[in-house]
Amino acid sequence: MSQADPGSVLVAGGAGYIGSHVSKALAIAGYHPVVLDNLSTGNAAHVVDFPLIHADIADTGRVVSLIREHKIRALLHFAASIQVEESVRFPLDYYENNVCRTLRLLRTCSKNGVRTVVFSSTAAVYGSPEKLPVSEDAALNPINPYGRSKMMVEMMLKDMAAALPDFHFAALRYFNVAGADRGGRIGQSYPKATHLITLALRTALGLRPELVIFGTDYATADGTAVRDYIDIEDIAFLHVRALDALFERPRNLVLNCGYGHGFSVNEVVQTVKRVTGIDFPVHETGRRPGDPPVLVADSSRAKNELNWTPMHDKLEEIIRAAWEWERKLHSMKAIQ
Ligand code: UDP
């Protein structure tokens, strides 16, 4: 490793949607990402330029050997189950996967000298915040097992930082991540995706008969739930900046990752129709279990701490990037 070389970093879950975009951004910034993924939901095709170790994060032997072989300096941890509604039905799977296995990974990393961690957290740790936009200092009150599992890991990280003087972490609390890499090489490719923008676009493509809107009786302007949608390229950039920040001046950071304004489900659906030019069928139904009515970030801390200016703060632009990706993904599938 030369003086200017920032070295190798372990990207757990780097074959997934967010992890693969972050790996790409890390490589552009000069880091050497080494991806660890069990490919349960990730896509090996998204890890073209970096080593991919096909193993579980709890496979201690494999993790130890890759830390040694690649001289890993930091962990970026994305490997987790992420569906709110599924977490309500299968809570123990979420605690097992997101908490127990993460504990094993953190222990292995820490024991082997990897004590700089960037963790993929979520706005779901806030539950249904009383004050909006919600700041990082708000009470954590998750309303579903997914949010609780992420909160538990944040607590572990805080406790490790208190116990070990050279352990430092950044927990990035994502709001609603969407969009795709503008180079068109990677995007959301999980076939069982449950996120609104992806499903709306797949409905526009005719891959689904209709889009279902979950809940029209929320106390919002049009009765549908409101979320803060942030572009995947901004999310990727925030990870690189957070990692740089931990190396430049070791400290602990908890940062909201959103733009600070929200759109309702109806507004998203209308924007998808406008961008695609396709008027697809929509069916309104009851609320989805575990969903809060409104989640919008106060993102001033990320802007100040990381000197971040959002690059793609425009819903139409995010949806257009996701639309280009979805069309490419499904035309490739049609040819195969
Ligand atoms: N949503 C919806 N129909 C769908 C998928 C999502 O109405 O097919 C709603 C969902 O109930 C929530 C919002 O869209 O209010 C965002 O959900 P998503 O799953 O995209 O992200 P989450 O906020 O759960 O992380």
Side-chain angles (χ1 to χ4, degrees), residues 82 84 122 146 175-176 194-197 199-200 208 211-215 218 224-227 229 265 287-288 291-293 295:
I82 58 158
V84 167
T122 169
Y146 167 64
F175 284 65
N176 288 62
T194 59
H195 289 128
L196 176 62
I197 291 178
L199 292 190
R208 303 171 66 89
L211 180 78
V212 178
I213 293 187
F214 298 122
Y218 287 106
T224 63
V226 170
R227 295 287 184 275
Y229 294 88
V265 173
R287 296 180 181 196
R288 192 173 66 174
D291 275 350
L295 269 177

Side-chain angles (χ1 to χ4, degrees), residues 5 29 33 44 135 154 233:
D5 186 341
S135 86
E154 282 198 17
E233 291 201 333

Side-chain angles (χ1 to χ4, degrees), residues 9 11 14 16-33 35 46-50 78 180-187 232-233 236-237 240:
V9 293
V11 185
Y17 171 51
I18 298 179
S20 61
H21 285 82
V22 173
S23 298
K24 185 182 163 204
L26 286 165
I28 290 169
Y31 290 96
H32 305 290
V35 171
H46 289 179
V47 192
V48 276
D49 298 332
F50 331 112
F78 303 90
D181 133 68
R182 302 303 191 269
R185 276 181 58 192
I186 48 177
I232 185 73
E233 291 201 333
F237 177 79
V240 176

